[in-house]
Amino acid sequence: MPKVTIYDMTGKSVGERDLSDAIFGIDPNKVVLHAVIKNYLANQRQGTQSTLTRTEVSGGGKKPWRQKGTGHARQGSTRAPQWKHGGVALGPKPRSYRYSLNRKMRVLAVKSALSAKVLENELVLVDDIKVDSYRTKTIVEMLRALGADRKALILTAEADPKLVGSARNIPGVKTTIVGSLNSYDILNSGKLILSAAAVDKLEEVYSK
């Protein structure tokens, strides 16, 4: 059973906690992680790329030369793909890149990502992450005290507008809640900073 130190926001150790083996102590499944992250990135694509075909390029209504007797290959329009300023043959058109994976894979990927953070000593547990006002300096000082002042994901049980507002303009720092957690955000973070309440929520949600 993984055991981690609990810190306060000033970086002072205030105790230890055993984490659930089923969530934080599994052997990370790299195949599932790859599949889920590939799916996540594909679903983020807008798919708005578009090229003009020969029917969509303006001009080209006049036949460039007569059909026979010129020595040239026959041509019907100067907007065919082989012409300069012509349309694009087989170019991309708007499409959706979305596809779905089953819930069991997504859950296993989150557990694998959390367990990988524990194995790499990149999971930091804080007893309570709370700010009284919109103050970026408070979060900056907390991250520096916890050794996570480069790139970090702050995970809480419930949304805290003051915390989100205080952290959103710090480069490399992202905040999220347990209900919106995904494996990409976990692996893309340098340090994963969780509140004790977030751990309770994770163990409640992912133990089912």
Side-chain angles (χ1 to χ4, degrees):
M1 182 174 288
K3 179 176 287 189
V4 295
T5 303
I6 305 174
Y7 299 93
D8 61 16
M9 290 182 65
T10 64
K12 181 182 177 181
S13 174
V14 295
E16 290 185 335
R17 173 167 178 166
D18 291 325
L19 301 177
S20 170
D21 267 335
I23 300 170
F24 297 94
I26 70 170
D27 185 21
N29 191 317
K30 295 181 180 180
V31 174
V32 170
L33 275 173
H34 177 268
V36 171
I37 289 174
K38 182 180 177 182
N39 168 253
Y40 174 84
L41 293 175
N43 290 348
Q44 304 308 303
R45 296 184 66 174
Q46 291 186 337
T48 55
Q49 73 279 29
S50 182
T51 54
L52 299 179
T53 66
R54 62 183 295 170
T55 63
E56 296 169 318
V57 178
S58 62
K62 180 181 178 183
K63 189 174 174 67
W65 49 72
R66 68 179 188 269
Q67 183 81 347
K68 295 179 179 293
T70 64
H72 295 297
R74 55 193 176 188
Q75 300 291 328
S77 170
T78 57
R79 296 301 181 262
Q82 72 272 19
W83 284 77
K84 184 179 180 180
H85 305 304
V88 176
L90 307 177
K93 282 293 185 183
R95 55 163 289 197
S96 172
Y97 290 89
R98 294 190 65 85
Y99 65 99
S100 61
L101 294 177
N102 62 61
R103 182 181 181 276
K104 186 179 290 186
M105 288 185 68
R106 298 196 306 271
V107 169
L108 179 56
V110 169
K111 292 180 179 180
S112 295
L114 291 170
S115 298
K117 285 297 181 184
V118 174
L119 290 172
E120 295 166 5
N121 294 317
E122 291 183 345
L123 186 145
V124 181
L125 180 56
V126 180
D127 58 350
D128 188 24
I129 303 174
K130 188 176 181 181
V131 290
D132 296 326
S133 60
Y134 292 92
R135 187 171 172 81
T136 300
K137 185 178 180 181
T138 303
I139 303 301
V140 170
E141 290 174 347
M142 179 191 76
L143 294 174
R144 188 177 294 120
L146 297 172
D149 52 344
R150 287 196 172 186
K151 195 173 186 182
L153 174 65
I154 302 173
L155 177 63
T156 55
E158 304 292 342
D160 182 351
K162 292 180 180 177
L163 173 62
V164 174
S166 299
R168 66 185 171 192
N169 61 341
I170 306 174
V173 175
K174 183 175 181 179
T175 60
T176 190
I177 60 174
V178 172
S180 300
L181 186 63
N182 64 76
S183 52
Y184 176 82
D185 284 341
I186 298 172
L187 294 182
N188 192 45
S189 63
K191 293 282 188 180
L192 174 61
I193 302 173
L194 303 88
S195 66
V199 174
D200 293 336
K201 190 79 170 179
L202 283 169
E203 293 182 348
E204 175 189 344
V205 171
Y206 289 99
S207 62
K208 298 177 182 179

